[in-house]
Tab-separated table of all heavy atoms in Angstrom:
chain	number	residue	atom	x	y	z
B	376	LEU	N	33.530	-7.256	-11.548
B	376	LEU	CA	33.894	-8.634	-11.031
B	376	LEU	C	34.207	-9.526	-12.205
B	376	LEU	O	34.621	-10.625	-11.926
B	376	LEU	CB	32.665	-9.093	-10.120
B	376	LEU	CG	32.964	-10.053	-9.074
B	376	LEU	CD1	33.897	-9.625	-8.055
B	376	LEU	CD2	31.554	-10.442	-8.384
B	377	GLY	N	33.983	-9.130	-13.438
B	377	GLY	CA	34.426	-10.010	-14.497
B	377	GLY	C	33.151	-10.802	-15.105
B	377	GLY	O	33.472	-11.785	-15.700
B	378	HIS	N	31.987	-10.303	-14.844
B	378	HIS	CA	30.817	-11.060	-15.363
B	378	HIS	C	29.925	-10.161	-16.202
B	378	HIS	O	28.768	-9.908	-15.914
B	378	HIS	CB	29.979	-11.714	-14.234
B	378	HIS	CG	30.727	-12.643	-13.463
B	378	HIS	ND1	31.634	-12.405	-12.442
B	378	HIS	CD2	30.720	-13.994	-13.549
B	378	HIS	CE1	32.082	-13.516	-11.949
B	378	HIS	NE2	31.754	-14.515	-12.649
B	379	ALA	N	30.498	-9.543	-17.150
B	379	ALA	CA	29.932	-8.461	-17.939
B	379	ALA	C	28.625	-9.132	-18.706
B	379	ALA	O	27.596	-8.523	-18.802
B	379	ALA	CB	30.907	-7.887	-18.984
B	380	GLU	N	28.829	-10.211	-19.240
B	380	GLU	CA	27.792	-10.796	-20.116
B	380	GLU	C	26.508	-11.041	-19.242
B	380	GLU	O	25.420	-11.162	-19.745
B	380	GLU	CB	28.245	-11.980	-20.814
B	380	GLU	CG	28.385	-13.236	-20.110
B	380	GLU	CD	29.577	-13.201	-19.109
B	380	GLU	OE1	30.496	-12.359	-19.235
B	380	GLU	OE2	29.556	-13.922	-18.208
B	381	GLN	N	26.654	-11.467	-18.066
B	381	GLN	CA	25.393	-11.660	-17.170
B	381	GLN	C	25.180	-10.660	-16.007
B	381	GLN	O	24.517	-10.977	-15.009
B	381	GLN	CB	25.343	-13.105	-16.724
B	381	GLN	CG	26.659	-13.627	-16.184
B	381	GLN	CD	26.602	-15.036	-15.644
B	381	GLN	OE1	25.632	-15.585	-15.304
B	381	GLN	NE2	27.861	-15.585	-15.368
B	382	ALA	N	25.897	-9.473	-16.267
B	382	ALA	CA	25.871	-8.595	-14.914
B	382	ALA	C	24.567	-8.143	-14.704
B	382	ALA	O	24.096	-8.104	-13.446
B	382	ALA	CB	26.833	-7.417	-15.414
B	383	ASP	N	23.667	-7.776	-15.622
B	383	ASP	CA	22.222	-7.309	-15.317
B	383	ASP	C	21.521	-8.406	-14.752
B	383	ASP	O	20.640	-8.037	-13.650
B	383	ASP	CB	21.695	-6.797	-16.616
B	383	ASP	CG	20.433	-6.160	-16.385
B	383	ASP	OD1	20.363	-5.091	-15.548
B	383	ASP	OD2	19.331	-6.583	-16.803
B	384	GLU	N	21.650	-9.598	-15.159
B	384	GLU	CA	20.942	-10.769	-14.513
B	384	GLU	C	21.267	-10.957	-13.064
B	384	GLU	O	20.328	-11.134	-12.276
B	384	GLU	CB	21.071	-12.000	-15.441
B	384	GLU	CG	20.685	-11.849	-16.768
B	384	GLU	CD	20.906	-13.115	-17.757
B	384	GLU	OE1	21.295	-14.080	-17.023
B	384	GLU	OE2	20.760	-13.106	-18.885
B	385	LEU	N	22.554	-10.889	-12.735
B	385	LEU	CA	23.103	-11.098	-11.412
B	385	LEU	C	22.497	-9.808	-10.563
B	385	LEU	O	22.180	-10.029	-9.460
B	385	LEU	CB	24.529	-11.119	-11.486
B	385	LEU	CG	25.087	-12.373	-12.229
B	385	LEU	CD1	26.613	-12.242	-12.236
B	385	LEU	CD2	24.662	-13.680	-11.452
B	386	ALA	N	22.588	-8.633	-11.290
B	386	ALA	CA	22.009	-7.517	-10.466
B	386	ALA	C	20.599	-7.792	-10.109
B	386	ALA	O	20.192	-7.435	-8.825
B	386	ALA	CB	22.205	-6.208	-11.230
B	387	MET	N	19.838	-8.191	-10.993
B	387	MET	CA	18.447	-8.406	-10.805
B	387	MET	C	18.147	-9.473	-9.585
B	387	MET	O	17.274	-9.378	-8.902
B	387	MET	CB	17.729	-8.742	-12.100
B	387	MET	CG	17.372	-7.716	-12.941
B	387	MET	SD	16.218	-6.513	-12.375
B	387	MET	CE	14.684	-7.302	-12.757
B	388	HIS	N	18.995	-10.481	-9.675
B	388	HIS	CA	18.990	-11.508	-8.661
B	388	HIS	C	19.188	-10.852	-7.267
B	388	HIS	O	18.441	-11.169	-6.254
B	388	HIS	CB	19.884	-12.585	-9.098
B	388	HIS	CG	19.918	-13.736	-8.035
B	388	HIS	ND1	18.887	-14.505	-7.914
B	388	HIS	CD2	20.871	-14.238	-7.013
B	388	HIS	CE1	19.005	-15.384	-6.853
B	388	HIS	NE2	20.335	-15.182	-6.418
B	389	VAL	N	20.209	-10.044	-7.185
B	389	VAL	CA	20.596	-9.478	-5.891
B	389	VAL	C	19.350	-8.506	-5.396
B	389	VAL	O	19.019	-8.623	-4.253
B	389	VAL	CB	21.873	-8.713	-5.931
B	389	VAL	CG1	22.153	-7.860	-4.646
B	389	VAL	CG2	22.999	-9.626	-6.258
B	390	LEU	N	18.810	-7.890	-6.525
B	390	LEU	CA	17.659	-7.012	-5.961
B	390	LEU	C	16.418	-7.798	-5.562
B	390	LEU	O	15.905	-7.481	-4.572
B	390	LEU	CB	17.138	-6.196	-7.179
B	390	LEU	CG	18.083	-4.901	-7.569
B	390	LEU	CD1	17.443	-4.266	-8.838
B	390	LEU	CD2	18.080	-3.930	-6.401
Side-chain angles (χ1 to χ4, degrees):
Chain B
L376 203 57
H378 297 87
E380 72 291 341
Q381 45 178 342
D383 188 60
E384 303 179 4
L385 296 173
M387 285 290 283
H388 180 69
V389 174
L390 282 180

